[in-house]
Amino acid sequence: MKTLLITLILAGTTATASAATYTFQQGAGGYDGAMDVTVYSSDPDASSGYEQEVSIDASDNGSPNHVLLRFDNLFGNAANQIKAGETVVSATLTLQITSAGSGIRFYDMLSDWNSASATWNTMGDGIQTDGVEAAMLPFLTIGADNGDANIESGTLVLDFTDALRRMQDGDVPGYGWALLPFMPNGTNGIDFYSAEGFMVSDRPLLTVEVAAVPEPETYAMLLAGLGLIGLRARRRG
């Protein structure tokens, strides 16, 4: 009887704190909050948010390229949003690499931007990792500071769990990420399909698994069940 009671209590707790998975990809399932842009030092006033690919490069014909990427409207009460009572268990960013390259350094963006207007010059001579425009240190690096094809073409899946947790906790403002090349030798540009890519399935994909935080009544039910177990044990004693 005690085993059955414990099982029922745990089952109720699990049901209340069930897991869910959310996916965010521009144009998929009605989601339209993703944007990205390449800012070119070789064309510092050009706005390129319409391009179907973005490119991170330390030397694109002698000049560096930086990339910005963000997913808006991740948190809220709508059906495909992360709710206030849910905690991020895991998160991945999936990119479809079209041109193998040296590598990428990922930084949290601290200042707001828009793909329709962001240029090399509007970002202040490219994206500055000064603790004001972008974080001073990268939270993720892939590849190496050389001209090799360290990141192969094809599907690239990155662990963004901590990045999403920082956003949910309010530690960063939620302006997405700066994707910067290794300097000065990451001269093999790495390209991937953008949020404007022709095929929706090739666009950047953010996948977030969450678990609900148990409601107070769930803890009350658990404590009540444990109390009943204790009472039965005392009676038997």
Side-chain angles (χ1 to χ4, degrees):
M1 178 64 183
K2 181 165 67 175
T3 301
L4 176 60
L5 185 57
I6 293 173
T7 301
L8 290 174
I9 292 169
L10 292 177
T13 304
T14 302
T16 304
S18 59
T21 300
Y22 300 108
T23 57
F24 305 92
Q25 187 173 44
Q26 185 72 3
Y31 179 71
D32 64 353
M35 67 174 79
D36 45 33
V37 62
T38 305
V39 294
Y40 298 93
S41 60
S42 61
D43 196 356
D45 293 315
S47 176
S48 61
Y50 59 88
E51 293 180 336
Q52 294 193 22
E53 297 182 25
V54 292
S55 177
I56 303 102
D57 200 336
S59 181
D60 184 1
N61 294 320
S63 302
N65 303 336
H66 297 169
V67 166
L68 293 166
L69 170 64
R70 69 191 288 174
F71 293 83
D72 290 340
N73 303 318
L74 298 179
F75 304 95
N77 295 317
N80 194 50
Q81 287 184 308
I82 302 167
K83 312 300 185 296
E86 295 174 331
T87 58
V88 174
V89 175
S90 67
T92 58
L93 175 66
T94 302
L95 305 174
Q96 298 300 327
I97 307 298
T98 59
S99 176
S102 299
I104 311 172
R105 299 179 296 157
F106 293 83
Y107 296 79
D108 287 314
M109 279 299 292
L110 305 179
S111 61
D112 204 359
W113 59 275
N114 188 288
S115 62
S117 58
T119 69
W120 186 268
N121 280 342
T122 62
M123 299 310 297
D125 196 27
I127 300 158
Q128 303 299 311
T129 57
D130 54 6
V132 177
E133 189 169 72
M136 298 180 70
L137 297 174
F139 66 86
L140 176 65
T141 61
I142 57 172
D145 188 17
N146 57 46
D148 296 339
N150 301 304
I151 308 302
E152 298 179 353
S153 298
T155 302
L156 176 65
V157 181
L158 303 168
D159 184 355
F160 262 50
T161 304
D162 288 342
L164 263 292
R165 287 174 176 167
R166 285 194 299 276
M167 292 174 65
Q168 186 179 45
D169 293 342
D171 295 334
V172 294
Y175 297 144
W177 310 287
L179 284 63
L180 306 184
F182 284 89
M183 296 296 290
N185 300 314
T187 55
N188 191 347
I190 181 168
D191 304 348
F192 60 86
Y193 284 118
S194 73
E196 292 74 36
F198 180 74
M199 297 290 292
V200 171
S201 59
D202 287 335
R203 297 171 181 173
L205 169 65
L206 185 65
T207 304
V208 185
E209 181 184 352
V210 302
V213 176
E215 298 293 335
E217 55 266 27
T218 301
Y219 290 114
M221 181 173 63
L222 179 60
L223 290 173
L226 293 174
L228 287 173
I229 293 172
L231 180 60
R232 288 180 59 85
R234 285 197 298 272
R235 286 178 176 176
R236 287 183 177 179

